[in-house]
Amino acid sequence: MKLRDKQELPSFSIDETQWTAIISNDASYDAEFYYGVRTTGIFCRPSCKSKDPKYENVIGFHHPEDALAQGFRPCKRCKPTGQRVPDQEWVSVVTNYINHHYPESLTLDILAQISHGSPYHLHRVFKRITGITPLQYIQDTRMTEAKKLLASTTLSISDIGRQVGITNPAYFSAVFRKLTGQTPAHYRNRSSSNE
């Protein structure tokens, strides 16, 4: 029985046959179903050559419109809607991922994998759209969060560095100083005296 013949709900759990099609990039299942990855918010064709997702993060769709209606964005690599994904939309996927995962280890390669593109192309497009590189965006996001923590908590500077994704305290202080013009301790003292 073809997948289309089943009662069509907007989304469904991926079964073993569909999972095998996804991890083996089986093009014979293209247009039979599409799959979305909850952690990235991107949906693909079964034949997509992107990094294999984790099974528990995958949801199935019968039509691209179903995925779009649930807030998933089309993969830039396999183009499940048949159309090219606008660069602005692609960059939005990356910035959204960074905003939610900045405490984790993030590299250009990781961002390219989650957004289904190449590191070089991502770097070039991201800089053209935002005016800064993805790595600068990560550092800016981390320092914005660090400023909030310095002003509102009594956590140590080392703990704050770890919470924003920089485990080396000296490196955290150097990055903070480079981007803000002051040390974390000086920033904290100025914040508390301004209250």
Side-chain angles (χ1 to χ4, degrees), residues 21 35 45 82 89 93 95 105 116 152 162 171 175 185 193 195:
Y35 72 94
R45 301 171 190 263
E89 205 169 303
V93 167
T95 58
S105 175
H116 301 190
S152 65
R162 277 191 291 280
Y171 181 66
V175 171
S193 65
E195 289 179 357

Side-chain angles (χ1 to χ4, degrees), residues 23 41 43 45 83 97 99 105 113 118 130 138 158 177 184:
I23 61 173
F43 75 98
R45 301 171 190 263
Q83 300 173 339
Y97 188 84
N99 292 341
S105 175
Q113 284 178 356
S118 76
T130 66
I138 293 167
S158 297
R177 184 177 192 142

Side-chain angles (χ1 to χ4, degrees), residues 112-171:
Q113 284 178 356
I114 66 102
S115 66
H116 301 190
S118 76
Y120 171 77
H121 187 62
L122 173 60
H123 185 274
R124 191 170 47 87
V125 170
F126 194 98
K127 187 165 185 178
R128 180 173 48 79
I129 299 289
T130 66
I132 60 175
T133 68
L135 297 180
Q136 287 171 309
Y137 187 87
I138 293 167
Q139 294 296 40
D140 288 350
T141 302
R142 287 174 171 166
M143 292 309 107
T144 298
E145 293 303 315
K147 285 191 230 176
K148 289 177 190 174
L149 291 170
L150 286 165
S152 65
T153 72
T154 58
L155 291 171
S156 72
I157 290 170
S158 297
D159 287 342
I160 290 172
R162 277 191 291 280
Q163 284 203 12
V164 300
I166 303 175
T167 56
N168 180 320
Y171 181 66

Side-chain angles (χ1 to χ4, degrees), residues 12-176:
F12 55 88
S13 296
I14 296 291
D15 65 28
E16 192 174 323
T17 303
Q18 293 161 332
W19 177 244
T20 301
I22 292 168
I23 61 173
S24 62
N25 311 116
D26 189 340
S28 69
Y29 284 88
D30 284 1
E32 289 294 316
F33 76 96
Y34 300 84
Y35 72 94
V37 182
R38 290 182 183 101
T39 52
T40 63
I42 294 173
F43 75 98
C44 300
R45 301 171 190 263
S47 65
C48 188
K49 302 285 190 208
S50 295
K51 181 181 174 190
D52 291 338
K54 291 182 180 176
Y55 178 79
E56 61 271 15
N57 296 330
V58 175
I59 186 170
F61 302 100
H62 295 288
H63 307 286
E65 297 78 18
D66 297 335
L68 292 167
Q70 290 194 31
F72 285 83
R73 297 172 188 253
C75 173
K76 195 158 179 80
R77 182 173 286 163
C78 71
K79 301 176 183 76
T81 61
Q83 300 173 339
R84 184 178 167 276
V85 176
D87 289 342
Q88 183 69 44
E89 205 169 303
W90 189 43
V91 168
S92 178
V93 167
V94 176
T95 58
N96 187 47
Y97 188 84
I98 293 169
N99 292 341
H100 290 93
H101 297 271
Y102 67 86
E104 300 170 16
S105 175
L106 294 177
T107 64
L108 192 56
D109 286 338
I110 290 169
L111 294 175
Q113 284 178 356
I114 66 102
S115 66
H116 301 190
S118 76
Y120 171 77
H121 187 62
L122 173 60
H123 185 274
R124 191 170 47 87
V125 170
F126 194 98
K127 187 165 185 178
R128 180 173 48 79
I129 299 289
T130 66
I132 60 175
T133 68
L135 297 180
Q136 287 171 309
Y137 187 87
I138 293 167
Q139 294 296 40
D140 288 350
T141 302
R142 287 174 171 166
M143 292 309 107
T144 298
E145 293 303 315
K147 285 191 230 176
K148 289 177 190 174
L149 291 170
L150 286 165
S152 65
T153 72
T154 58
L155 291 171
S156 72
I157 290 170
S158 297
D159 287 342
I160 290 172
R162 277 191 291 280
Q163 284 203 12
V164 300
I166 303 175
T167 56
N168 180 320
Y171 181 66
F172 168 69
S173 292
V175 171
F176 191 91

